[in-house]
Amino acid sequence: HESKTMFENILYQFSECAKYDALSNINIFAVSSIPRNNFNFFFPERIKNLLAYGIPDRRIQDSQRNRDKMIFAIIGIVNPRKAQDIFIHAINLLEDDVRENMIFRIIGSIGTDDYSNYIKELSSKVSAIQILGELTRHEINDVYKDIDVVVCPSLEDPLPIVMTEGMMYGKICITSDANGTVDYIEDGKNGF
């Protein structure tokens, strides 16, 4: 369930433990084609099968409040791999009269590193963007009630739980093709 960079780091730190032959008696499964391909890059043809995770079905009812704005949300720690910058750049491509009918939320831990500061700066220029920061599990469940569209533009994401939760809650989900969730989405039918 890891990115290619994570495998590179692990192999660098623990190269003496990473022997192809030592893995020959182990059945290894990946959660999607993304981590399977990453692992097989270093250990060719070791992972052949997928074993996706499951989460409890906790459907929630949408908020009954009257609202005139559609809410889009990107959920996850703010870092370059999660591509919040791509989310903001896409928002900026919208016409003003379209954007005024929408709210865009960035939800997740945001630090003080260069990328986080860049996201804060970009967001400050668009009044429709709200940075909510890190939320507790209870708070995130409450926030899902109001979200209309869950967006995951990640540059690489093995199988983000936010997409699984979004689908579980019946939300429209938009994701990049560099996300393991694409293994389970029929474009235009149950996601984009």
Side-chain angles (χ1 to χ4, degrees), residues 36-166:
R36 178 188 62 204
N37 294 344
N38 290 339
F39 193 88
N40 285 344
F41 178 83
F42 298 101
F43 300 100
E45 300 304 314
R46 279 302 299 127
I47 299 179
K48 294 181 177 42
N49 297 308
L50 302 180
L51 180 64
Y53 60 74
I55 62 174
D57 189 1
R58 293 190 180 125
R59 294 186 193 276
I60 56 175
Q61 296 299 317
D62 286 341
S63 174
Q64 295 301 313
R65 72 179 173 86
N66 292 326
R67 61 175 182 217
D68 56 353
K69 295 191 179 199
M70 183 174 252
I71 299 175
F72 292 74
I74 182 171
I75 305 169
I77 187 170
V78 174
N79 70 38
R81 186 174 62 88
K82 295 292 187 176
Q84 286 87 356
D85 58 328
I86 292 173
F87 182 61
I88 296 169
H89 290 309
I91 293 166
N92 284 323
L93 292 174
L94 297 169
E95 298 290 331
D96 290 340
D97 61 326
V98 172
R99 193 170 49 219
E100 72 185 21
N101 295 313
M102 300 173 179
I103 296 171
F104 305 94
R105 292 183 173 158
I106 298 174
I107 303 168
S109 177
I110 185 165
T112 56
D113 58 282
D114 289 345
Y115 184 76
S116 294
N117 290 335
Y118 177 59
I119 295 304
K120 291 173 192 173
E121 179 186 336
L122 287 177
S123 298
S124 70
K125 297 175 183 174
V126 182
S127 63
I129 297 177
Q130 303 169 344
I131 297 179
L132 301 186
E134 187 172 14
L135 303 178
T136 66
R137 172 49 43 195
H138 179 72
E139 290 169 331
I140 195 73
N141 287 338
D142 283 344
V143 168
Y144 264 118
K145 293 176 185 175
D146 292 330
I147 295 171
D148 297 298
V149 181
V150 178
V151 182
C152 185
S154 295
L155 300 177
E156 182 184 51
D157 218 327
L159 193 61
I161 198 162
V162 67
M163 288 281 94
T164 306
E165 288 177 338

